[in-house]
Amino acid sequence: MAGCKAGAAFLPPAVWRGPLLLPDDVMIDLESLAASSLLGHGVVAGRLATAGLLGAVIGIDREVNRRSAGLRTHMLVGMASAFFAILAIEIVGRIPENAGAMGDPVRIIEAVTAGVAFLAAGAIIRSGGMVEGVTTAAGLWLAGAVGLACGLGLWTLATIAAGLGFIVITVLGWVTYRLGPKGENGAD
């Protein structure tokens, strides 16, 4: 597949010759792309692992309190968001300067935000005049944002956000529980 057009392995020739990808004179070796990463495989693994760990920090309280989205869900949201950010870096970094194409990595962030918000909306339940799961939904949204920060290599921002999220969900959750439950069963 050396010297193959970008997208040739996945799309029919009529599609990959169009103006949406690369001009006819720009060639990319797909075999070398499959085995390489602009960031390096160690960096990618570190970013994904950190996103998973920070997602766990956010989701641990939800797991302990048996909420609809717990530890694994928060970890997966964080890692998936990080992976989308990594993919944005890889895609934009591979567009040759002479291709005449432009990439907008902010669109990836917008798409992840919308996707996580849709997932989080599923955690919100209305039952008997009570709305439950809003804190879990907010935690999922935060896990997505922390994952994006990890994927972009913004370790300090990700760690601060996850730490503050842990404090809000766990410590303030305990304080509000002690001050009195919000409803009959104290659910949030």
Side-chain angles (χ1 to χ4, degrees):
M1 291 183 71
C4 206
K5 275 236 175 256
F10 308 106
L11 301 172
V15 174
W16 55 261
R17 284 193 181 142
L20 295 177
L21 293 176
L22 300 175
D24 289 336
D25 61 334
V26 176
M27 303 294 275
I28 295 178
D29 181 2
L30 291 178
E31 285 181 17
S32 67
L33 288 180
S36 68
S37 169
L38 296 174
L39 295 172
H41 293 105
V43 171
V44 169
R47 290 180 182 190
L48 291 172
T50 303
L53 283 171
L54 293 177
V57 167
I58 297 166
I60 190 72
D61 178 79
R62 305 287 87 193
E63 185 74 24
V64 168
N65 289 306
R66 300 185 186 274
R67 300 297 184 201
S68 59
L71 186 68
R72 292 179 298 166
T73 306
H74 283 79
M75 291 175 75
L76 288 171
V77 167
M79 290 187 319
S81 299
F83 192 58
F84 280 117
I86 291 165
L87 286 174
I89 292 168
E90 295 286 338
I91 291 167
V92 171
R94 292 177 191 279
I95 297 173
E97 289 182 27
N98 64 345
M102 292 176 44
D104 184 4
V106 174
R107 289 184 182 182
I108 298 287
I109 293 170
E110 292 171 351
V112 170
T113 301
V116 173
F118 180 77
L119 181 65
I124 300 173
I125 301 168
R126 184 169 184 204
S127 173
M130 296 284 301
V131 177
E132 299 179 8
V134 177
T135 302
T136 301
L140 287 171
W141 204 30
L142 179 61
V146 165
L148 281 171
C150 288
L152 295 171
L154 304 171
W155 311 105
T156 304
L157 293 177
T159 304
I160 290 169
L164 290 173
F166 177 80
I167 289 169
V168 168
I169 293 170
T170 305
V171 177
L172 293 180
W174 181 82
V175 169
T176 56
Y177 178 77
R178 293 292 177 215
L179 291 176
K182 295 177 187 174
E184 293 176 17
N185 61 0
D188 60 339

